[in-house]
Amino acid sequence: EAQVTQNPRYLITVTGKKLTVTCSQNMNHEYMSWYRQDPGLGLRQIYYSMNVEVTDKGDVPEGYKVSRKEKRNFPLILESPSPNQTSLYFCASSFQGGGNQPQHFGDGTRLSIL
Amino acid sequence: QKEVEQNSGPLSVPEGAIASLNCTYSDRGSQSFFWYRQYSGKSPELIMFIYSNGDKEDGRFTAQLNKASQYVSLLIRDSQPSDSATYLCAVKDDKIIFGKGTRLHILP
């Protein structure tokens, strides 16, 4: 089954404790992206990757890191999480970054930073 | 700053009626337009996409695009309670930008 898998689905942690949210897709997609979704603010792009070893900042990259060492994986790293990073996070992928390809979303990760 | 605007709603529509959702965008260079449906606490799922001016129909859904007016809409015919969700408009040129969504409530 074609899917985008995020882990964990839920996480409660404390300020300053490094965490990683994993994202994996099995569709051989070149493009992958991370979003956060907050009430009243909609979906905002954090980082995206056009292909292996190619990453770029989205609209709200501060406080986040990503890496793309393999085509299927695109982890989101919070080196020193803070309460303002409490949010619902989605990973998405598409066949290509350009063109007309729609994005497929993972089920989401709800992060709470205390 | 490229923007995608949607009325936040809630838009209340009686069951069986037509729901009309609207979206405007600021970037005239936008090439691709998508409608996603998102149930509360769930991930967005693609409903429709449209690239050319005019109408595109898929079952009960019709997407309408007017690039001159920078306007894209989604019509849902024979609305069902299961259509109650937030609908996200997304516009893509070199990058994809999402609107904040319109909450749709179908009244039984």
Side-chain angles (χ1 to χ4, degrees):
Chain A
E1 179 187 352
Q3 57 186 4
V4 178
T5 303
Q6 296 179 226
N7 280 297
R9 293 289 316 282
Y10 305 91
L11 179 63
I12 301 173
T13 188
V14 296
T15 298
K17 186 177 181 180
K18 180 179 178 180
L19 67 92
T20 299
V21 185
T22 63
C23 175
S24 179
Q25 50 90 8
N26 63 359
M27 295 169 279
N28 202 36
H29 283 170
E30 291 183 351
Y31 181 90
M32 298 186 74
S33 179
W34 276 103
Y35 296 89
R36 61 178 289 175
Q37 189 173 39
D38 303 287
L41 297 178
L43 275 170
R44 294 181 292 168
Q45 191 177 52
I46 302 170
Y47 270 95
Y48 64 95
S49 170
M50 299 291 280
N51 213 325
V52 176
E53 301 291 1
V54 181
T55 62
D56 209 345
K57 295 177 181 179
D59 297 317
V60 288
E62 294 78 20
Y64 304 94
K65 287 175 57 177
V66 293
S67 68
R68 187 90 182 273
K69 294 183 171 60
E70 307 165 278
K71 199 170 189 178
R72 63 182 294 128
N73 296 323
F74 190 45
L76 179 70
I77 303 158
L78 284 71
E79 293 271 5
S80 183
S82 62
N84 64 11
Q85 293 176 298
T86 292
S87 187
L88 178 58
Y89 291 85
F90 289 104
C91 179
S93 72
S94 64
F95 184 61
Q96 291 175 324
N100 301 326
Q101 303 299 316
Q103 294 191 48
H104 302 264
F105 285 82
D107 287 337
T109 296
R110 189 169 291 281
L111 278 182
S112 293
I113 315 295
L114 304 177
Chain B
Q1 180 78 357
K2 299 176 182 178
E3 293 182 336
V4 176
E5 299 286 342
Q6 295 181 255
N7 189 317
S8 62
L11 174 66
S12 295
V13 174
E15 183 176 357
I18 296 175
S20 178
L21 303 161
N22 304 314
C23 173
T24 59
Y25 59 94
S26 63
D27 182 13
R28 283 193 172 276
S30 299
Q31 297 294 319
S32 311
F33 306 85
F34 307 91
W35 282 101
Y36 287 84
R37 178 177 62 199
Q38 186 177 25
Y39 294 113
S40 181
K42 303 295 186 182
S43 61
E45 57 177 321
L46 182 70
I47 297 296
M48 292 281 292
F49 59 89
I50 186 167
Y51 309 138
S52 304
N53 275 330
D55 295 0
K56 179 182 179 182
E57 187 174 320
D58 183 1
R60 295 187 297 112
F61 299 96
T62 299
Q64 299 175 316
L65 175 61
N66 184 326
K67 288 187 177 181
S69 300
Q70 294 173 242
Y71 175 94
V72 57
S73 64
L74 178 70
L75 301 178
I76 307 174
R77 289 181 299 281
D78 189 23
S79 297
Q80 304 296 311
S82 60
D83 294 326
S84 297
T86 296
Y87 289 80
L88 305 176
C89 171
V91 174
K92 189 175 184 184
D93 182 16
D94 57 330
K95 62 185 296 187
I96 190 166
I97 300 173
F98 286 85
K100 294 178 182 178
T102 298
R103 284 182 295 141
L104 175 65
H105 181 49
I106 306 301
L107 304 169

